[in-house]
C-alpha cells in the first residue's frame, strides 16, 4: 500500500487522499512555482491510525525511505550535526479546517544539530530561537504540556532580560529558555526526545491525533464536515522566515476577502515564523509594504498570485515564507470570503471571462447572502466612540460584553445577545464566536484567527484594537478612559472598525450595486417567481426594494391588533347576535380597506395574496388567568371601597371582565393549533370573511381608479375539506362581484396547510385559482409536531440522536411534507390545470427548500422581505443544478 | 305524462314511482290476493307539486277519469246519494316512513251521501261514525285545525252521553258530534267541503304536502332518507272494519318482529277503522283470538300471510280489514324488526331454504347488532316493581322520567339519560324516542306507534301499561301507590314488560344461540381478522366471549393509574436523574408483568398487541390550577397554624406541592395532542419503554411455561420518522432478547397515527413486523382537528351545513384519512412484504369503516369488546359485497 506521495506525484484533484494542503503543494510544484521539497502521508494512513492507534503496516518504512529522498533533494541530512535537514510536519484535511489541527515546525533540531545549524547559517540566535520554538511546540502539541507554562517562562525571561518582544531576546537568553523549556517538560514527567526520527514519529502521531481534538470536532459539526475523512500529513523541508531582516513570513489573499476588490490583500512579518502571523501575537504589516522592504520577493508573490488565481479559477489564500530573500509558497487554498466579497469576486470573474454566468451564480452560497443585509450602524445617530481597530468583518453587532466563549454560549442559550471580547482568539474560541453578535480583539491583524473566522461566519468583527486593555481577572476592559464591565452593552461596527458604548441605532442597507447586478443575472436564469410575506406596507416596500415580484402572503390578523381596532375586534367576538357582530365589523371595514389600499399601491403591477383571518379568536382576548387575577383584585378593591358610587363602578368593571372571561372560557381549547381557527371560524361566523373580502375588493377598485394595476388574490386559510372551500366560494364570490362590478380581476384560492387538503387537492382545486403551501402548519400537522412544544422540549435531542437530520421547521422535510406537496401538486393540477402554485411558509426563504420547490415545479416561492435576495439566488442555483430535469 | 296507475298496472318493483304502499297493493292485486280496487298517483306528480305548489298539468283530468273507472269496478258512484263510493287517500313513499305522513279515510261522505250510506248499509250509526271520522281527519289533516279540539269535543260528548269508549256512542250522539265538528272547523275560519271532488282534491294536496311536515323531515334525517323522493298517493275504495261485530281491522306480522319466532303476530279490533289500531286508543286483541271470533277471515289472513312471505322472500307487515266477514288486504311491506328477530329470521329463512347463506348475512344491518348486547335487568337484583305492561321492545333502559319529547331532547343534549313517559306516542314524539333510553306508555298494543318505533330504534319499551296514570299537568305518574315525578329515575325492562323504581342493576347478556350461529356463518365468509381493543383482563375476557381472535390494542397507560401505582409513576416523572427514574420504574416492573400475564392467559393462542406508554407525562400529574389552589389553601392554613410542629408539616407539604407544580409547568404544552407524547417520550426517557418491554417478555415467558401459547406484539405509538423506530428497535430488541433468550416469538411494530408515518411507510416498514392504524389520531392530524375542541365547537355545524357528510371520528374518512392508509399500505408492503396490517382506532368497530379496511386489504380490524359481533358481521358483509374485487 502506497501511503506517501512526493509533491511531484500529486495534483490538485487528490484532496481526498493528500488533503487540501498536500494537494495544493503538489499542484504548485507541478506548475513550476517555488515550493520547498517534501512529501505527503495520505489520509488513508490517518484513518488506519485513528482506528488502531498504530501506524499502518509499512508506513514507517516508507517515511524513512522518503526522508532519504528528501535529504537528496535538500542537499542536507536529517539529524546531521553539520548540515542538518529540518522539516515541518503539517496537518491538512480534505476539507479546509483552518487552525483546527496541529503542525510542528523545526523537527530535526536537538542539542547537537542546533549547533550545526548555528554554524551553517552563521546565525546562533536564529538557531536557538528555532530550537526553543521546536521544544515549545513539541511540548505543547506532542507531549501535551499546557502551553501557558511555556508562555509564562517566556514572559519571565523577557522581564529578566528587559525585552519587550520575542525578537528582542538575545542568544544567551534564548539558550537559557531552551533549558527552562526542557525542564518544564521534565517537570511534567515527559522527555524532549533528542533523536530526530523519534521527533518525527511522535509529530506524525500527534498530527493524526489532532483530527479528533475537541475544537476540530466542534468545527466539523458546525460546518457539516464528515467525521471520517481524516487528515493527511505533509513533511516539508523547513524554510525560515526568521533568518533576519531579509527573511519574512506572511499570508496573502489574491483579492480582498472582505470587499472582493481586485488587489493583493494580506500581511507579513519580517524575521518571523508563520505561527507568529496567524496567532496575532505581533501585529503584522500590510502586504503592500513588502514591495519596498523585500521587492524581489514581493514581485515573486505577485507573479505567483496571478498564476494561482488563473490556474485555480478562484481567489487563493496563500501562505509564504521568504528565506534570505528567496520566496517560497507553503500553501494555497480557495480563499474564504464574506458574502460581499463572494458576490463581487463572482461578478468580476464573470466580467474577466474566467467563469461563465452559471458558474458565477453557483459561486455564492445563498445562506451567506443575508450577511449583506446585516444591519449597519446608522451614521447619523448620536454615539459614543470608545475604541478603533481593524475593520475585519463588516456589519454592526450589538450585545453584552463577555470575555470567554463558554460564557458566550451560556448567555446566548438564555436568549441574550453577546459580544465576545478577547485579547486574541484561538481555535478554542470558535464556539463562542459562533453564538456571538460580534467580536472584538485587542491583538491580531486582518488575517488573524478572529478576523478569518468572523468573516467566514459573517459576524461583525473589530480586531487588533490595541487601545483596548483587557483585564481578564477583573473581567473588564478599558479604552479612552471608559471602563466596560462584563455584561455592559457595546456595539461593534465591523464595517468601519469602530466600537461604541451601548446599543447604537442600526439600519439595514439596501442592495449594493454588485449584488443588484448579481441578482439580475440570477433573475435571468431562475424559473421560480419570488414573492414576499409582508404584513405591513413597510414590509411590502422593503420587499419591492429587494426584488419581490408581489406579495405571497399578507396576514390580516395583525391589522386587528392596533390600539384603535382591538377593542372593536373584542366587542365583535363577544357579540351575541349576528347583527351585533356585523355592526362591529362594519366599523372595521373602512380600516381594513385603508390597509389594503396601501398594499396595492406599493405592489402596483404585482399580485398581492391576502389571507383572510386565521388565528383562533381567543388570541384577540386577554388570557384566562390574567382575567381571574383582575377580577380578584377588583373584588379586593370592592371590599375597601367607601362610597356607593365607587362600588357601583367597580361592580360594573367586574361584570365586564366577567363577561370577557366567560367568552374566553367558551373559546378555550385543548389544542388551539388544530382547533377553531382559519376557515373554520370563517364558516361559522360568515360575516368576518365577508367584511374582509368587501374591504379587499373595495380597496382594489380605489387603487385601480388611481391608474394602478391591481392584482388581488384572496386566500382562505386551513382548508382541508372540499365543502369548506365550496361554501366559502359560494358566499364570498357574490360579495366580491358586488364590490367589483366587473372592474377587478381577482383570484380566489386557498392556503394548503392541512394534510387532508393535499390528499383531496383535486376536489379542492375545482373551486380555486391557486394553492399556496403553508408549510409551517403543514409541517406541524404532517409530523404531528406542535412547533412551540416540540422545539422547546425535544427537537434538539432529536437532532442530537440523529432521529432527524435537520429541523423540519427550518429545512423543508422533502420525504414527508414534500411528498404531500407533490401529491397536492399532481392532484391539484388534475382538478384545475391552470392552478397557480406557490409556497408561503418560512421555507420559502430557505435555499434547500427553494430547490425542492423548483424541482416539483411550483410557480413561485414567497419569503420574508430580508430573505428575498437569498431566494432569488437559491432559485437561480436550483434552475442551474436541475437544468437537465427541466429539459425532460 | 301518465301520473296514475291502477293496481293492475303496477308491481312490486315500482316503489320509486308508486311508493311502497302503491307497489304493494299492485303486487298483491296481481298475485290474486283480496285487495279493494284503487289506483296510485305517482311520486312524479308529488315532486312537481312540491316544487310548484300545483298539480302537474293533466293530473286532475286523469284523477277524474280514474274515478270513473273505479266507480265501475266498485259498482258505486262517488258522491251518489243512494250508493256512494267512498275512498281512502293514502300516502306511501318509496321508502317506508311509518306514520310520518298523512292519510284521509272515508272521502266522499257529506250531509247527503251519509244518509245514502246509512240506508244502503242499513246501519245509521256506522254511517255517522264514518262521517264524523272524515270531518275530524279532514279538519285536522287537510284544514290544519288542531286535533285536540276534536278530541276534547269527543270527550265532552262521551261525558254527556255517559259513554266509556267511542264505540259506546249511539247514533244520536254521533250526529250531534258531526255538527260540533263542523262548527269547530267553522270557528277556525274554515269550511268542511260538501263537494266530494273538492274533498278528494284537497286530500290529495294534503298528502303531497305531508311529505314536508316536520316529523317527516326529522325521520328522514334520522334514517338517512333522501329529501327528494316524494310520496305517492293511493286512492282506494273504502272497505269498513267498523260495520259491526263481523267487521274488523288489524295489523299482522308474518313472524314475531321482536323475537323472530315463526308465528303470526299482530292485533286486531272488531268494529273499528285502521287508525284505531295504530293510534293505540283502544287496546286491541292478540291476532290469535281472531281465529275464534271471525274464523273465515282468519283463515284468509293466514293463507295471505304465507303467500306474501314466500312471494316477497321476507317477513311482511300486513294491514287488513274485514268488512262483514270479507277479508281485504290494505297494505303489505317488509316488516321492521329488531336485531334479535332479524338474526333469527335470517337464520330460519336460510334453514327453510328461502335464502342462501350470503343473503342471510346481508339481511342483518350491522349497526343494529349492538342492540343484542343491550344491558338486561339483572334478575337476581333487589328491585321495586311499580308497573307491568306489554314487553314491546326488549332491553333495559334507565333514566330520568320526562313527559314530553322536547324535554327529552334538551336534557339529553346536556348529557342526561331520560325515559320518555307518554299516555301514547304519535309521530310528533319520534325525536324524543330517538334520544331516550327507553319508552313507557299507558296505552296502545304491541303494534302501537310507540312499540313499532321503539323496536325499530332498538330502544327498550313497555307499552299499554294501563295501571300507569299519567297527570300531564302535574307532570307525575302514579302506579301501585307510587308517585313518580318528572326527573325521578326509573328502569324500563322491555324484555319482561316491567317498570322499576330507580336504577336497577343491569348486565350485558352473552351471545344468544341464534346470534352465535349467525356469526359463525359470518366468520366463514369474512376475510378480515377480528381483534379487540381491551385495556383490562375483564375486557379481554368479554372480547373472547364475543369472538375476538386476539387483542389489537392493549393500552398500558391505565395500568399506571391504579392507586398503588400512580404515586410511583409521579415520583418517576419528577426524578432528576436517570438512576432515580430507573429505581421507580423497577418498582413498576413487577406490577406490569402481572398485568401482562393476565392478558396472555386469557388470549391463549391468540396475538396480543401491547402498546407502550402513549399519553403525555403531565397526564399523570395533578392539574396546574388545582396545585395553585392547594398551595394557596395551605398558605392560609399556615397563617392560622399555632405550633411550630404544625407549621413545619404544612411547609413541607407546600414544598412538595411546589415541586410537583414546577414539574407540571415544565411539562405544560400549548398543544399536548401533538406534543411530547408517544414514542417521543420513549426516546427521550429510554428507561420507560425498556421497563415495559422487559415486563411484556417476562410475562410471556411465564405464561408460556404454564403451557399456553403466547403471541406478544410490541407496539410503539406515534411513529412518524424512520429514525424514531430505528433507535427504539436498536434499544428494545436487545432487552426483549435478554428476557426471552429465544423462548418467545414476538413481533415488533408501530401504531400508524401520524400522517408522515404513512408517507414514509416504506422506510418505517423496514424496521417493523406490523402496522396498526390508529385512526383516531390519524384523523385528528390529517384533518388538523383536535377532536375535543372540534366536536365541542363546530362539528355539528359542519354536519348541518354539509361541509362534512359524516363525523370523521365516527365513520372513517375514506377520501383523506383512507387515502393515507392506502399509501401506507402500498409503501409499507413495499418496504416489508410480510408486514401485518390492522386498524385499532374506534373505526375498527364501525361497519362502513370496516368495509373500507376490507377493500384496501388489511389483515384485521380491532374493535372494542362490545362491537366485536358487529365487526364480525360487517366484515362478512364487506367480503360478500366486494366478492368480485377479491377474485380479481
Amino acid at each position: 500500500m502506497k501511503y506517501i506521495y512526493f509533491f511531484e506525484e500529486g495534483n490538485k484533484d487528490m484532496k481526498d487522499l493528500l488533503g487540501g494542503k498536500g494537494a495544493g503543494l503538489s499542484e504548485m510544484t507541478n506548475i513550476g512555482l517555488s515550493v520547498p521539497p517534501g512529501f505527503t502521508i495520505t489520509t488513508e494512513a490517518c484513518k488506519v491510525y485513528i482506528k488502531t492507534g498504530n501506524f499502518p503496516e509499512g508506513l514507517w518504512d516508507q517515511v524513512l525511505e522518503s526522508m532519504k529522498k528528501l535529504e537528496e533533494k535538500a542537499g542536507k541530512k536529517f539529524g546531521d550535526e553539520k548540515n542538518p535537514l529540518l522539516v515541518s510536519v503539517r496537518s491538512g484535511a480534505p476539507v479546509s479546517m483552518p487552525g483546527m489541527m496541529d503542525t510542528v515546525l523545526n523537527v530535526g533540531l536537538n542539542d547537537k544539530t542546533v549547533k550545526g545549524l548555528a554554524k551553517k547559517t552563521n546565525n546562533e540566535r536564529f538557531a536557538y530561537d528555532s530550537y526553543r520554538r521546536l521544544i515549545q511546540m513539541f511540548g505543547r502539541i506532542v507531549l501535551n504540556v499546557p502551553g501557558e507554562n511555556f508562555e509564562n517562562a517566556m514572559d519571565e525571561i523577557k522581564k529578566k532580560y528587559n525585552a519587550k518582544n520575542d525578537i528582542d531576546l538575545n542568544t544567551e537568553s534564548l539558550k537559557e529558555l531552551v533549558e527552562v523549556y526542557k525542564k518544564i517538560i521534565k517537570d511534567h514527567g515527559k522527555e524532549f526526545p533528542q533523536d530526530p526520527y523519534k521527533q518525527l514519529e511522535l509529530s506524525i502521531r500527534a498530527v493524526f491525533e489532532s483530527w479528533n481534538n475537541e475544537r476540530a470536532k466542534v468545527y466539523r459539526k458546525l460546518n457539516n464536515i464528515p467525521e471520517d475523512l481524516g487528515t493527511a500529513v505533509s513533511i516539508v523541508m523547513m524554510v525560515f522566515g526568521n533568518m533576519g531582516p531579509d527573511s519574512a513570513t506572511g499570508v496573502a489573499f489574491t483579492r480582498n476577502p472582505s470587499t472582493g476588490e481586485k488587489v493583493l490583500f494580506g500581511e507579513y512579518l519580517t524575521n518571523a515564523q508563520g505561527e507568529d502571523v496567524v496567532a496575532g501575537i505581533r501585529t503584522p504589516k500590510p502586504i503592500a509594504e513588502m514591495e519596498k522592504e523585500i521587492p524581489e520577493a514581493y514581485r515573486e508573490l505577485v507573479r505567483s498570485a496571478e498564476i494561482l488565481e488563473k490556474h485555480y479559477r478562484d481567489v487563493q489564500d496563500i501562505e509564504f515564507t521568504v528565506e534570505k530573500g528567496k520566496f517560497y509558497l507553503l500553501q494555497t487554498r480557495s480563499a474564504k470570503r464574506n458574502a460581499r466579497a463572494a458576490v463581487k469576486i463572482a461578478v468580476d470573474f464573470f466580467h474577466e471571462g474566467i467563469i461563465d454566468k452559471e458558474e458565477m451564480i453557483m459561486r455564492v452560497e445563498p445562506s451567506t447572502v443575508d450577511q449583506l443585509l446585516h444591519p449597519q450602524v446608522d451614521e447619523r445617530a448620536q454615539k459614543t466612540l470608545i475604541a478603533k481597530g481593524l475593520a475585519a468583518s463588516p456589519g454592526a453587532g450589538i450585545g453584552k460584553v463577555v470575555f470567554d466563549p463558554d460564557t458566550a454560549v451560556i448567555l446566548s442559550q438564555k436568549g441574550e445577545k453577546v459580544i465576545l471580547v478577547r485579547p486574541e482568539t484561538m481555535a478554542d474560541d470558535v464556539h463562542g464566536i459562533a453564538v456571538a453578535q460580534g467580536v472584538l480583539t485587542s491583538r491580531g491583524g486582518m488575517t488573524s484567527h478572529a478576523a478569518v473566522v468572523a468573516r467566514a461566519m459573517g459576524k461583525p468583527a473589530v480586531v487588533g484594537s490595541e487601545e483596548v486593555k483587557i483585564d481578564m481577572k477583573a473581567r473588564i476592559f478599558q479604552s479612552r478612559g471608559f471602563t466596560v464591565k462584563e455584561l455592559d452593552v457595546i456595539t461593534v461596527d465591523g464595517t468601519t472598525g469602530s466600537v461604541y458604548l451601548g446599543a447604537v441605532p442600526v439600519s439595514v442597507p439596501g442592495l449594493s450595486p454588485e449584488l443588484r447586478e448579481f441578482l439580475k443575472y440570477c433573475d435571468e436564469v431562475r424559473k421560480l417567481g419570488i414573492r414576499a410575506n409582508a404584513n405591513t406596507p413597510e414590509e411590502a416596500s422593503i420587499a419591492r426594494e429587494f426584488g419581490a415580484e408581489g406579495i405571497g402572503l399578507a396576514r390580516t390578523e395583525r391589522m386587528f391588533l392596533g390600539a384603535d381596532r382591538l377593542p372593536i375586534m373584542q366587542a365583535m367576538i363577544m357579540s351575541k347576535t349576528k347583527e351585533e357582530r356585523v355592526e362591529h365589523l362594519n366599523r372595521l371595514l373602512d380600516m381594513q380597506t385603508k390597509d389594503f389600499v396601501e398594499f396595492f399601491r406599493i405592489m402596483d403591477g404585482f399580485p398581492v395574496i391576502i389571507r383572510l383571518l386565521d388565528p383562533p379568536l381567543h388570541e384577540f382576548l386577554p388570557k384566562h388567568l390574567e382575567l381571574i387575577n383582575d377580577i380578584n383584585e377588583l373584588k379586593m378593591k370592592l371590599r375597601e371601597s367607601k362610597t356607593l358610587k365607587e362600588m357601583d363602578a367597580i361592580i360594573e368593571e367586574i361584570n365586564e371582565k366577567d363577561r370577557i372571561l366567560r367568552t374566553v372560557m367558551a373559546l378555550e381549547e385543548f389544542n388551539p393549533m388544530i382547533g377553531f381557527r382559519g376557515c373554520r371560524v370563517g364558516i361559522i361566523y360568515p360575516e368576518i370573511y365577508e367584511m374582509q373580502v368587501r374591504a379587499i375588493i373595495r380597496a382594489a377598485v380605489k387603487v385601480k381608479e388611481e391608474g394602478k394595476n391591481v392584482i388581488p388574490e384572496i386566500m382562505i386559510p386551513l382548508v382541508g375539506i372540499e365543502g369548506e372551500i365550496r361554501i366559502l366560494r359560494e358566499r364570498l364570490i357574490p360579495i366580491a362581484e358586488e364590490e367589483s362590478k366587473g372592474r377587478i380581476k381577482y383570484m380566489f384560492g386557498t392556503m394548503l396547510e392541512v394534510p387532508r387538503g393535499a390528499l383531496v387537492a383535486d376536489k379542492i382545486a375545482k373551486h380555486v385559482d391557486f394553492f399556496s403551501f403553508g408549510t409551517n402548519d403543514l409541517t406541524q400537522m404532517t409530523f404531528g409536531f406542535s412547533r412551540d412544544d416540540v422545539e422547546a422540549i425535544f427537537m434538539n435531542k432529536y437532532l442530537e440522536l440523529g432521529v432527524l437530520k435537520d429541523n423540519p421547521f427550518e429545512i423543508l422535510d422533502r420525504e414527508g411534507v414534500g411528498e404531500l406537496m407533490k401529491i397536492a401538486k399532481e392532484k391539484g393540477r388534475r382538478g384545475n390545470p391552470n392552478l397557480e402554485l406557490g409556497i408561503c411558509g418560512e421555507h420559502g426563504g430557505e435555499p434547500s427548500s427553494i430547490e425542492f420547490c423548483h424541482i416539483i415545479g411550483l410557480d413561485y416561492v414567497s419569503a420574508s422581505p430580508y430573505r428575498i435576495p437569498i431566494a432569488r439566488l437559491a432559485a437561480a442555483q436550483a434552475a442551474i443544478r436541475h437544468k437537465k430535469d427541466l429539459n425532460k
Side-chain angles (χ1 to χ4, degrees), chain A residues 588-641:
Chain A
L588 290 169
L589 174 60
D590 282 351
M591 300 177 177
Q592 281 252 303
T593 306
K594 270 184 212 139
D595 295 326
F596 297 141
V597 161
E598 280 304 298
F599 276 107
F600 291 141
R601 281 189 186 140
I602 293 163
M603 282 290 157
D604 181 11
F606 293 106
V608 177
I609 298 188
I610 295 167
R611 182 180 71 181
L612 304 191
L613 196 71
D614 181 52
L617 294 180
H618 58 70
E619 284 195 8
F620 297 96
L621 298 177
K623 296 274 159 286
H624 189 155
L625 277 174
E626 229 165 74
L627 284 164
I628 289 183
N629 237 17
D630 290 356
I631 291 172
N632 282 338
E633 270 171 29
L634 284 169
K635 283 183 182 164
M636 299 286 263
K637 245 170 91 183
L638 188 64
R639 271 189 226 159
E640 288 154 15
S641 61

Side-chain angles (χ1 to χ4, degrees), chain A residues 54-67:
Chain A
N54 288 311
F55 285 165
E57 180 98 27
L59 172 62
W60 187 243
D61 288 342
Q62 291 181 32
V63 169
L64 293 177
E65 202 178 298
S66 302
M67 285 302 287

